[in-house]
Amino acid sequence: METGTTLPSLKNCQVVHQTRHRVRIIAPSLRKATERSYLYEILLRKHPAIRHVELSVEIGSVAVWFNPGLLPKAKLFAVLDAVLGNLGNASPFQKPANEQNTDQPERDYNLAVEGMTCASCALLIEMVLRRDPRVADAKVNFATETATVRARMDREALNGKLEGIGYRVHSLDSLAQRRLQLERENLRIDEARKRLIWASLFSAPAIVLGMFAPHTRLIGILELILTAPVVLWSGKPFFDKAIKLAKQRTANMDSLVAMGVGAAFGYSLVSLLRGKLEFYFEAAAAIVAFVLLGRYLDERAKGQAHEAIRKLIDLQPQTASVLRNGEEFVIPIDDVVVGDLLLVRPGERIPTDGEVVSGISTVDESMITGESMPVVKEAGHFVTGGCINGNGSLQIRATAIGADTVLSGIVRMVDQAQAGKLPIQKMVDQVSAVFVPSVMVISAATFIGWLAVGAAPGFAFAASITVLLIACPCALGLATPAAIMVGTGQAAKRGIFIRNGESLEMASKLTAIVFDKTGTITEGKPQVTDLTNLSRFADDKLLALAGSSELHSEHFLGKAILAHAREQGLKLEEPAMFQNEPGRGVQAQIGKHVLFIGNRHWLEDQSISLGKAEAIATELGSQGKTPVYMAVDGKIAAIFGIADKARDNAREAIAHLHARGIKTLMATGDVQAAAYYIADLVGIDHVIAQARPEDKLAIIHDWQAKGEKVGMIGDGINDAPALAAADVSIAIGGGADVAMQTADLTLVNGDIAKAAEAMELSSFTIRVIRQNLFWAFGYNIVAIPVAAMGKLNPMIASAAMAMSSVSVVLNSLRLQKK
């Protein structure tokens, strides 16, 4: 790029000077920068290839020194344009006002991002993505090196955008790709084990010599020979990371270890070369060995914490049998496309979601529903990838692949919850941000302090190194995420899928729960028990009109009417017009007839007189049946009685919640009589009948205004607003998609008793996190002063530091027994 080049996001910008390693830009718009300009300078400096930045907003100038080998000029200008294009805006994430979204459909992308070196890299990527008008949302997790993006662009454009600023990207959409990510985790564990083994083999004899042999020049040379491989090879990752962080003017636990090991080894080497007999070679090697032991145990423990995702991923077969032109081909699962005809033999796992085309068999769907009894599947039935086929052969048409399958959705939900942060973690992050610099200051003060009181330099040096090593913040960093990973994994095993960490924490604080009725308290399998004909039409004609009107309904009651019409073998007609009003009913045009089917309010709003239908409805309600009104061409025509049994364990589940001191309320669109009948049956405290969606939302807000922490359990479209407003929203698996997409937790098999289990697991998880934080903070509060007083030696400090991290992870693993 030549002098005079402009950047699209900066008006009147010019590159006025450039060399191979330096570029200077002048742009008048930079002068409009606010006090937030330092943030952009920091973001530029955090890029691994940018060595130095001088930003002078007073004259509208920025100069950048960079490594052209890591960041060619073309990519450098992309980074500058992305970062500086926002300078002066209210927020680094604000999009330019004149940019408009494209007309492409929004898509969700899950990506693995390689090359991030710190949390600011994640901030930079988020900023670059969110400035693009095609990106609706972007979240980057530095800890898991993943990004979740919702954008109106294709994958190639998205990947190119990130690769253009120096990061490597690959997809995490399919289960096969996630399997590769777990395999990379296994490789990290193997690498950690190898480094630990070699470090142990060389450091053990060095420790013995250091502790029991007299300090002579020969012993010093022998210790140097034994410990050099430990420090320079096994400990190399610590130094590599510390150097990278130092270039970015930051530090972490690796910095402390590298400083301690480097100081001990360097001091000993200089001492040996000068003929002095003060050396700490064995301490340097022991530090590396003990820290590597802690890392290895951490990796293994975190591998166990990921076991829930690993087991879910293993449910999907890696190959599928595809039938094309009458021939069978075995292909990788990622090569299956929507519309492929798949052959599933007896005993095989179903490769992906699909519709049965031919064959009859039973399918074990326990992984999705939690029900142990197999379900009969035949032509027209849908099957879920990962479920086990029974004794028959099935041919299925693939209807969803990759990230769109049910199993992928479950894995993604668990993954997002494990990667999330709890509100309690914010305090830990704030402490950790100042912890490492503070420890370095304390270490320096320890060294100077001991020298000031006349201690030998070797003693002062050992005490200062011990402070660096004993104060490892690793236990603090693991305290929360380790417990989250295990807790959400355990929830997944029980059929409770948690969308985010915040809801995991909040579930333990709930004081009240609002229930929907149909499909939540009841089984969601309503059946038409009564049909009272109030019209001139024959019963079959009336039922056919009702069934046709409900062809596109998502409501349980509508589906019950449709099922009843089909059971009678009636011919149904596609509606010429269909309108659904959540929580009220439907309007449809069948032939020349206009129909309204729904609750009493729905028909009254259409100015339809109910007449004697009101008395019939009251009688049905007293029997626990739900009345559904039907009007044809502006006149009341019929009233259906629909019965839905309460779930078998509903009363036990409600009693369990009451035992925990939780208030319960049922808000339903059903009539009062039917609502009270079911509420009395299961023992719910309060009932609000004939509640519209806006009424359910108001109930949530009213209880929250009284200081209650409110959970909402529902399954329908009409529950979505209340679910969104609740402190914790819980959806019933198998309900409407919009309800499950809105909810924080999903009870896969519809068992509301799992709500109490989720609260108990949440309470236990939070208790474990607090224990972890107590031990992590307590360990540092006690250990640092002891180390500063010279009461510990570096080897013991490094061992204690490693064990503190391991103890936090082991404590978190107790959740697996909950």
Side-chain angles (χ1 to χ4, degrees):
M1 300 192 66
E2 304 296 333
T3 300
T5 299
T6 62
L7 301 185
S9 296
L10 292 177
K11 294 181 180 179
N12 304 320
C13 159
Q14 282 194 326
V15 178
V16 296
H17 177 73
Q18 59 178 314
T19 66
R20 186 168 183 269
H21 299 281
R22 180 176 179 268
V23 168
R24 185 172 176 229
I25 296 169
I26 293 289
S29 58
L30 296 182
R31 299 174 188 171
K32 300 177 182 179
T34 66
E35 69 278 1
R36 301 172 64 89
S37 62
Y38 72 91
L39 172 61
Y40 302 87
E41 185 174 341
I42 290 172
L43 285 175
L44 287 173
R45 285 179 175 176
K46 292 298 184 182
H47 196 287
I50 293 178
R51 295 169 174 171
H52 184 61
V53 178
E54 288 183 0
L55 179 60
S56 301
V57 295
E58 297 84 0
I59 61 173
S61 167
V62 60
V64 177
W65 284 257
F66 65 102
N67 183 339
L70 297 177
L71 188 66
K73 282 185 183 177
K75 293 187 177 181
L76 169 67
F77 279 85
V79 173
L80 294 175
D81 188 47
V83 176
L84 299 179
N86 258 317
L87 199 57
N89 286 342
S91 165
F93 301 117
Q94 181 176 320
K95 298 178 182 179
N98 62 341
E99 291 185 345
Q100 301 296 325
N101 286 338
T102 67
D103 294 329
Q104 294 184 26
E106 273 189 2
R107 291 186 59 191
D108 289 328
Y109 296 97
N110 296 290
L111 307 171
V113 182
E114 296 180 9
M116 291 192 290
T117 58
C118 63
S120 293
C121 288
L123 182 62
L124 172 63
I125 295 171
E126 283 190 359
M127 186 189 69
V128 169
L129 290 174
R130 291 181 181 180
R131 283 198 70 249
D132 193 304
R134 298 169 295 177
V135 177
D137 189 31
K139 295 177 182 177
V140 182
N141 190 308
F142 170 63
T144 58
E145 295 188 323
T146 58
T148 304
V149 182
R150 176 171 295 172
R152 299 176 184 272
M153 65 172 74
D154 58 33
R155 184 177 302 282
E156 289 72 21
L158 179 59
N159 289 358
K161 195 168 188 66
L162 296 184
E163 289 169 359
I165 56 172
Y167 298 95
R168 297 177 300 280
V169 182
H170 60 264
S171 174
L172 279 182
D173 285 337
S174 73
L175 295 181
Q177 290 162 341
R178 289 179 179 272
R179 189 178 286 113
L180 288 175
Q181 189 183 37
L182 291 176
E183 289 174 3
R184 286 193 291 270
E185 181 181 87
N186 291 334
L187 291 176
R188 288 200 305 272
I189 295 174
D190 290 341
E191 177 69 14
R193 183 173 63 249
K194 288 176 184 176
R195 290 187 181 275
L196 172 62
I197 290 172
W198 285 108
S200 302
L201 288 175
F202 282 95
S203 61
I207 292 171
V208 172
L209 289 174
M211 293 179 66
F212 301 107
H215 277 209
T216 65
R217 186 173 178 78
L218 179 62
I219 292 296
I221 293 172
L222 187 56
E223 284 193 23
L224 173 61
I225 293 171
L226 288 170
T227 58
V230 178
V231 173
L232 301 178
W233 182 76
S234 295
K236 186 174 181 294
F238 302 126
F239 294 101
D240 290 344
K241 185 67 174 178
I243 291 170
K244 288 180 181 178
L245 292 172
K247 288 179 179 178
Q248 298 160 24
R249 301 182 183 181
T250 186
N252 70 356
M253 177 254 184
D254 294 277
S255 307
L256 298 182
V257 174
M259 288 178 64
V261 172
F265 189 81
Y267 180 91
S268 303
L269 182 59
V270 172
S271 179
L272 182 63
L273 293 175
R274 294 179 62 186
K276 295 186 177 182
L277 301 180
E278 287 184 359
F279 35 79
Y280 300 93
F281 289 118
E282 76 283 356
I287 291 165
V288 172
F290 282 128
V291 175
L292 287 176
L293 173 62
R295 291 282 175 91
Y296 172 63
L297 294 175
D298 283 350
E299 290 289 350
R300 283 194 59 186
K302 284 188 284 187
Q304 292 181 44
H306 282 130
E307 197 61 29
I309 287 183
R310 196 184 307 274
K311 287 182 177 179
L312 285 169
I313 290 173
D314 287 343
L315 291 175
Q316 185 190 54
Q318 298 187 43
T319 60
S321 299
V322 181
L323 299 175
R324 292 174 180 166
N325 299 322
E327 292 187 53
E328 179 182 344
F329 301 91
V330 178
I331 62 174
I333 190 64
D334 278 358
D335 291 345
V336 174
V337 297
V338 173
D340 271 345
L341 186 62
L342 309 177
L343 174 64
V344 186
R345 292 184 171 86
E348 290 183 344
R349 286 195 181 273
I350 295 170
T352 191
D353 298 357
E355 181 181 0
V356 178
V357 175
S358 66
I360 183 169
S361 182
T362 56
V363 174
D364 179 359
E365 294 185 327
S366 57
M367 74 162 211
I368 299 296
T369 65
E371 298 292 337
S372 58
M373 291 296 293
V375 180
V376 175
K377 297 291 183 180
E378 55 186 339
H381 288 183
F382 286 90
V383 290
T384 304
C387 296
I388 301 174
N389 186 25
N391 295 325
S393 291
L394 295 175
Q395 289 186 16
I396 67 170
R397 185 77 63 188
T399 58
I401 58 171
D404 298 327
T405 63
V406 171
L407 186 56
S408 284
I410 292 172
V411 170
R412 187 161 55 249
M413 194 182 299
V414 176
D415 202 19
Q416 288 171 352
Q418 292 190 342
K421 285 188 177 182
L422 274 65
I424 196 172
Q425 180 70 14
K426 293 177 182 177
M427 176 266 293
V428 179
D429 291 343
Q430 291 170 351
V431 172
S432 298
V434 298
F435 189 82
V436 173
S438 300
V439 170
M440 291 179 177
V441 171
I442 294 171
S443 176
T446 300
F447 180 72
I448 294 170
W450 278 113
L451 289 179
V453 298
F459 180 84
F461 179 71
S464 65
I465 290 177
T466 303
V467 170
L468 285 176
L469 297 172
I470 201 71
C472 164
C474 197
L476 279 178
L478 286 171
T480 300
I484 291 177
M485 285 193 294
V486 181
T488 52
Q490 281 300 103
K493 288 181 181 178
R494 303 179 186 198
I496 306 166
F497 293 104
I498 302 173
R499 189 176 297 274
N500 53 59
E502 288 83 354
S503 54
L504 175 66
E505 180 173 348
M506 184 56 70
S508 65
K509 302 176 182 179
L510 293 181
T511 59
I513 292 184
V514 177
F515 292 88
D516 176 43
K517 181 179 81 70
T518 305
T520 303
I521 296 296
T522 60
E523 290 181 345
K525 300 175 182 177
Q527 295 180 332
V528 174
T529 57
D530 300 83
L531 169 56
T532 304
N533 191 336
L534 303 174
S535 72
R536 56 184 173 81
F537 297 103
D539 285 358
D540 283 355
K541 174 64 174 177
L542 198 67
L543 184 56
L545 287 172
S548 299
S549 299
E550 299 287 3
L551 270 172
H552 301 299
S553 175
E554 288 293 326
H555 197 280
F556 282 104
L557 301 180
K559 289 180 178 180
I561 294 173
L562 174 61
H564 187 59
R566 282 175 168 163
E567 286 171 3
Q568 304 303 314
L570 301 176
K571 183 178 180 180
L572 304 182
E573 185 178 342
E574 186 71 22
M577 183 274 292
F578 175 83
Q579 177 186 342
N580 176 48
E581 188 71 22
R584 308 182 76 188
V586 300
Q587 176 186 358
Q589 182 174 342
I590 310 298
K592 297 179 180 179
H593 301 294
V594 176
L595 289 86
F596 288 91
I597 303 178
N599 59 28
R600 173 179 175 174
H601 293 300
W602 182 228
L603 268 67
E604 286 179 341
D605 287 348
Q606 317 309 320
S607 301
I608 296 172
S609 175
L610 301 181
K612 60 182 181 181
E614 290 190 74
I616 299 170
T618 301
E619 177 62 25
L620 291 171
S622 67
Q623 300 169 16
K625 299 174 183 178
T626 301
V628 176
Y629 298 84
M630 175 180 176
V632 180
D633 299 329
K635 295 182 179 179
I636 188 72
I639 185 164
F640 293 88
I642 301 179
D644 189 10
K645 284 198 316 179
R647 293 183 184 270
D648 291 338
N649 62 346
R651 188 173 187 84
E652 180 184 348
I654 301 301
H656 199 165
L657 291 172
H658 287 168
R660 288 181 57 87
I662 306 296
K663 300 172 185 174
T664 56
L665 178 146
M666 185 170 74
T668 176
D670 210 342
V671 296
Q672 195 170 47
Y676 275 99
Y677 178 87
I678 293 295
D680 288 342
L681 206 60
V682 301
I684 284 182
D685 295 335
H686 309 285
V687 178
I688 296 180
Q690 296 180 312
R692 302 178 183 184
E694 57 269 30
D695 297 328
K696 294 183 180 182
L697 180 62
I699 292 166
I700 298 292
H701 287 153
D702 287 346
W703 278 37
Q704 288 171 332
K706 295 174 184 176
E708 303 285 355
K709 297 296 183 184
V710 187
M712 169 72 191
I713 305 182
D715 68 319
I717 294 173
N718 59 322
D719 298 320
L723 286 168
D727 294 292
V728 176
S729 50
I730 305 172
I732 298 296
D737 287 344
V738 67
M740 290 189 283
Q741 289 167 5
T742 306
D744 299 313
L745 280 68
T746 299
L747 309 180
V748 177
N749 65 356
D751 183 0
I752 60 173
K754 296 291 183 182
E757 279 190 45
M759 295 172 66
E760 289 177 354
L761 188 59
S762 167
S763 298
F764 190 34
T765 302
I766 298 303
R767 190 159 65 248
V768 166
I769 289 172
R770 287 177 177 151
Q771 291 168 357
N772 288 349
L773 292 174
F774 172 81
W775 287 112
F777 278 119
Y779 163 82
N780 284 291
I781 289 170
V782 173
I784 291 175
V786 173
M789 289 187 292
K791 301 297 184 181
L792 295 174
N793 68 49
M795 281 191 295
I796 294 176
S798 58
M801 176 269 292
M803 290 305 104
S804 69
S805 299
V806 173
S807 64
V808 162
V809 177
L810 292 178
N811 188 48
S812 299
L813 290 175
R814 290 194 302 124
L815 286 161
Q816 291 183 338
K817 300 178 181 179
K818 180 63 179 172

